[in-house]
Amino acid sequence: MTSESTPTVRRDVLAVLSPGFVGTELPEWLAELLRQGLGGVWLFGQNVVDDDQLRRLTAQIHEANPTALVCSDEEGGTVTRVDHVRGSRWPGPWAVGKVDDTDLTRDVATATAARLVSLGVDLTAAPVADVNVEPENPVIGTRSFGADPELVSRHVVATVEGLRVGGVVGCPKHFPGHGSTTQDSHLTLPTLDASTEVMAQRELVPFRAAVEAGVECVMTGHLVVPAHGSAPATLNASVISLLRDDLGFDGMICTDAIDMEAVAQDPGREEAAVQALRAGVDLVCVGNPVFPQEYDAEADVLALARAVEAAIEDGSLAANRVAEAADRVRHLGARQAERRRAAEPVEQSADAVPELGLRAAAAAIDVTGTIPALTLPVIVGASSSGNMASGARQEVVLSVLARHLEGTVVDLSDAAEIDSQVIVVVDDHTPFDDDTVSALLHHADVVVHTGIRDLAPGSVDGALVRTFSGGLASALAAASVLGSGDKA
């Protein structure tokens, strides 16, 4: 902090920052910043060992600052933090959207919230409100409810309502919409190449529905909207005004992580934080200090705070703008603290996948062809990469199928030597044009596809089982179908 800053300004500046940290215990530097008024903390997989450890950690955070927002990414499917070790106990949004039962979606969200409340989590960066009309989208895919704005809208609303009933703040993302892009904002700066008319009829529809449903928080995306200038949406007052003025949102606006390359490279994290606040954002999500690149979390958040204070002092950022943002963060944090105190304890097994999760995942399964009776199959994962936003990836599906079908997981490089029954697991990151993968798909007795992209006609000779989701619940649903055998 700068020497000239007043205690009020210092507290407001801290209130608009929410960093991650390294480790599974609350570091003293972070506890001290929380006592001084830090707005929130983001939890990632590297912060979580098990439920008991997580409860102790979140209790320490709330003891240091009762109104601090403990935040996490709990989308279901491939994206989870609290269940990253075993995989999500809920199917992902695309699978839920395929079922298209809003009562089921609402129930899943309510149950998800109950689990998060039991672990001390206040806010989840979900639901994904992006309309995924681009099959080649490298970062959204199964994280979206679908490609139809109205379908996405009704499931975004059901999720927001369910999370609220369960006691957790939902935070639809990535405003104004990441679903039609072909680049990943973790790695570069994407462009939302759509006219204002198309955006109004497509990208903005789910966010408008969420606002009308009373959502309390919205997360911005790091993407350029040419109709609103060259600045990324997170740093762009014109885009933020779409949310505030056109959609009428008066709740808390949170950034996507500013350690993502889309803004971390240019203008850089410190300047990005200042520009985001100037544009109208309220809470700056700093990101995960161990992935994809390591950095000093303490030094980083202190540098961000100094940069914001310096901008206030030189007049490039209005102090009342930061005060307004801080008030929104504290107001939501205080409201969530009341909800925590009023919440009824919910007994949940740390290991079992709820029947609701299995039922929702099973309802999305689609089978083409006839599944043979499987005896000690070999299971091969045909994707070497994963979604940058994901926690548990293809390995969850591989291990579940191996365990439940008494099979063996074999590396793709060894697949050519297989002479037993073969199950190949693919997703949207599988290199389908690779000769080895192509040959393996023809050789496989069963292909399990967890993504949204359609496979080329004739590329699979055996049965095709589509889950439209990764994670534990969808893997168990697939294992159940495969274990039944001879299922048309």
Side-chain angles (χ1 to χ4, degrees), residues 192-217:
L192 171 55
D193 191 11
S195 67
T196 54
E197 293 78 15
V198 169
M199 284 179 59
Q201 297 170 12
R202 188 178 66 191
E203 274 79 12
L204 299 184
V205 174
F207 290 101
R208 185 181 299 278
V211 171
E212 291 173 353
V215 73
E216 298 169 290
C217 180

Side-chain angles (χ1 to χ4, degrees), residues 114-187:
R115 172 155 173 74
L116 295 178
V117 168
S118 76
L119 298 172
V121 176
D122 299 301
L123 181 151
T124 174
V128 172
D130 304 318
V131 182
N132 200 97
V133 295
E134 173 52 69
E136 300 299 313
N137 192 317
V139 68
I140 305 301
T142 59
R143 300 168 62 202
S144 165
F145 289 107
D148 176 73
E150 295 302 329
L151 180 145
V152 174
S153 294
R154 56 181 174 264
H155 291 282
V156 164
V157 168
T159 301
V160 166
E161 291 173 347
L163 290 171
R164 184 189 302 128
V165 168
V168 166
V169 176
C171 181
K173 60 189 181 186
H174 307 81
F175 187 84
H178 210 320
S180 65
T181 62
T182 57
Q183 293 177 303
D184 182 351
S185 52
H186 292 87
L187 306 173

Side-chain angles (χ1 to χ4, degrees), residues 2 5 13 274 304-317:
T2 61
S5 114
V13 168
V274 171
L304 292 175
R306 285 193 296 270
V308 174
E309 281 203 306
I312 292 172
E313 290 169 8
D314 68 20
S316 60
L317 176 61

Side-chain angles (χ1 to χ4, degrees), residues 214-238:
V215 73
E216 298 169 290
C217 180
V218 172
M219 177 176 282
T220 60
H222 304 322
L223 57 150
V224 171
V225 185
H228 292 270
S230 60
T234 297
L235 318 180
N236 191 322
S238 178

Side-chain angles (χ1 to χ4, degrees), residues 388-452:
M388 283 285 288
S390 299
R393 297 176 178 153
Q394 201 174 58
E395 60 269 18
V396 171
V397 180
L398 299 176
S399 63
V400 167
L401 295 182
R403 185 168 66 252
H404 286 265
L405 300 173
E406 299 182 328
T408 303
V409 177
V410 173
D411 289 338
L412 180 62
S413 59
D414 299 324
E417 307 301 321
I418 298 170
D419 59 3
S420 57
Q421 288 180 308
V422 177
I423 300 172
V424 179
V425 179
V426 301
D427 57 27
D428 289 335
H429 298 274
T430 297
F432 292 109
D433 56 354
D434 179 85
D435 290 343
T436 300
V437 172
S438 178
L440 189 59
L441 292 181
H442 285 293
H443 177 63
D445 296 273
V446 179
V447 173
V448 176
H449 185 13
T450 64
I452 69 171

Side-chain angles (χ1 to χ4, degrees), residues 21 56 58 141 149 215 229 263 319 332 372 386 447:
F21 65 97
R56 290 193 298 271
T58 57
V215 73
V263 296
L332 185 55
V447 173

Side-chain angles (χ1 to χ4, degrees), residues 355-372:
E355 186 276 334
L356 176 63
L358 293 174
R359 176 160 54 87
I365 297 279
D366 182 78
V367 178
T368 302
T370 301
I371 299 172

